[in-house]
Amino acid sequence: MEIVVCVKQVPDTAEIKVDPETNTLIRQGVPSIVNPFDKNAVEAALQLKEKHDGKITVISMGPPQAKDALKECLAMGADEAILISDRAFGGADTLATSYTLASAIKKLGKVDLVICGKQAIDGDTAQVGPEIAEHLGIPQVTYVSKVEADGNILRVEREHEEGYEVLEISMPALLTVVKSINEPRYPTVKGTMKANRKEIPVWTVNDLEVDAAKLGLKGSPTQVRKIFVPPSRTQGEVIQAETAREAVGLLIQKLTEAKIV
């Protein structure tokens, strides 16, 4: 089984701050991590490989430092990694990103399954995975919480607000997975050493058969006009009283005056 996993290196959202003057994200000094949902995607691929053999290739589009994210995936057990990096890809929205990733997947040749995390924590659009499937012309299932393979057929559970759907699709196909699908394994010392020795190829715009008008900022119909921090809400009043009975009385009085009760 030939599996491709798309991963993204993202800023740790726990550390992100917004510049109050420019309303832009402050990225300096913010640590980068592998998108958590993409780790679930890598783990799902590894479990399928352990049952059905095959090869796992992880790909990422980003700056040169995204190699660190790819090496972490190699340390987990992926076989190959490819970085797609070029100034021509800069400023890409989800449509341009998915087009570029799909072009790279086509270059790989025969691929049975593409797995993505359900969304990236720095954008939360959940659009790139489904758009890749559309560019490739293959079926897709999103929000997958369980997957099993039987020959050329995938049997998956799809998580949604009211429960689960059980679906069967034939490969080649694309899945986006949710956090509940598995618990990603930790990279081993041996795997980390092997990943650090491995040379990760970098594909530029010249390595892909693409339409330049569909890349980067030029190929991005979505534009961010403004980023801002919502104003802080006023904190509620703390009622001070000598006894609990008095506090309750004051609370009822204030609720009555506010016409809440």
Side-chain angles (χ1 to χ4, degrees):
M1 184 183 294
E2 297 289 328
I3 305 175
V4 170
V5 182
C6 298
V7 303
K8 184 180 183 182
Q9 187 183 56
V10 297
D12 188 343
T13 53
E15 301 291 335
I16 283 183
K17 296 180 181 178
V18 175
D19 188 317
E21 295 184 3
T22 63
N23 288 320
T24 58
L25 296 179
I26 301 173
R27 295 180 179 271
Q28 289 79 10
V30 178
S32 295
I33 60 174
V34 178
N35 182 51
F37 293 110
D38 297 346
K39 283 190 177 182
N40 295 110
V42 173
E43 178 62 31
L46 291 169
Q47 292 181 14
L48 286 170
K49 178 187 172 182
E50 289 166 355
K51 292 181 180 179
H52 306 284
D53 294 325
K55 177 183 176 183
I56 300 172
T57 301
V58 289
I59 65 174
S60 182
M61 188 179 94
Q65 58 263 35
K67 281 187 177 182
D68 294 338
L70 291 172
K71 286 188 175 183
E72 185 172 345
C73 297
L74 289 171
M76 289 175 65
D79 300 292
E80 301 291 341
I82 298 168
L83 176 63
I84 306 165
S85 185
D86 196 300
R87 295 289 296 179
F89 306 140
D93 68 356
T94 60
L95 184 62
T97 298
S98 62
Y99 172 72
T100 307
L101 289 170
S103 300
I105 293 170
K106 289 178 182 178
K107 180 179 173 66
L108 289 172
K110 181 181 180 295
V111 172
D112 298 301
L113 180 61
V114 181
I115 308 179
C116 307
K118 73 161 185 170
Q119 64 195 58
I121 61 172
D122 62 343
D124 289 329
T125 65
Q127 294 175 351
V128 171
E131 287 176 356
I132 291 174
E134 289 298 314
H135 288 303
L136 295 175
I138 59 177
Q140 59 175 288
V141 181
T142 56
Y143 300 98
V144 172
S145 58
K146 184 177 181 181
V147 57
E148 297 175 349
D150 184 6
N152 194 46
I153 301 298
L154 293 173
R155 183 180 178 88
V156 301
E157 274 190 8
R158 182 176 187 271
E159 184 178 273
H160 58 82
E161 293 85 352
E162 298 179 358
Y164 297 89
E165 293 177 297
V166 179
L167 306 169
E168 286 188 352
I169 59 172
S170 59
M171 294 186 283
L174 180 143
L175 308 177
T176 72
V177 301
V178 296
K179 188 175 180 62
S180 60
I181 191 171
N182 55 44
E183 185 67 33
R185 67 193 68 185
Y186 289 101
T188 63
V189 174
K190 182 178 179 181
T192 300
M193 294 175 64
K194 183 178 178 181
N196 288 334
R197 292 193 301 267
K198 197 170 186 66
E199 189 66 29
I200 297 177
V202 178
W203 289 358
T204 67
V205 67
N206 296 324
D207 297 305
L208 304 176
E209 295 184 8
V210 291
D211 180 351
K214 296 181 179 180
L215 301 175
L217 195 59
K218 289 182 179 179
S220 300
T222 306
Q223 296 184 4
V224 177
R225 299 292 298 274
K226 184 178 181 181
I227 296 176
F228 64 95
V229 177
S232 300
R233 294 183 177 181
T234 304
Q235 296 295 321
E237 179 183 352
V238 178
I239 296 177
Q240 301 287 349
E242 293 184 2
T243 66
R245 183 179 293 275
E246 290 179 3
V248 170
L250 287 171
L251 174 61
I252 293 175
Q253 178 183 340
K254 289 182 178 295
L255 292 176
T256 302
E257 291 173 353
K259 298 182 180 180
I260 296 175
V261 296

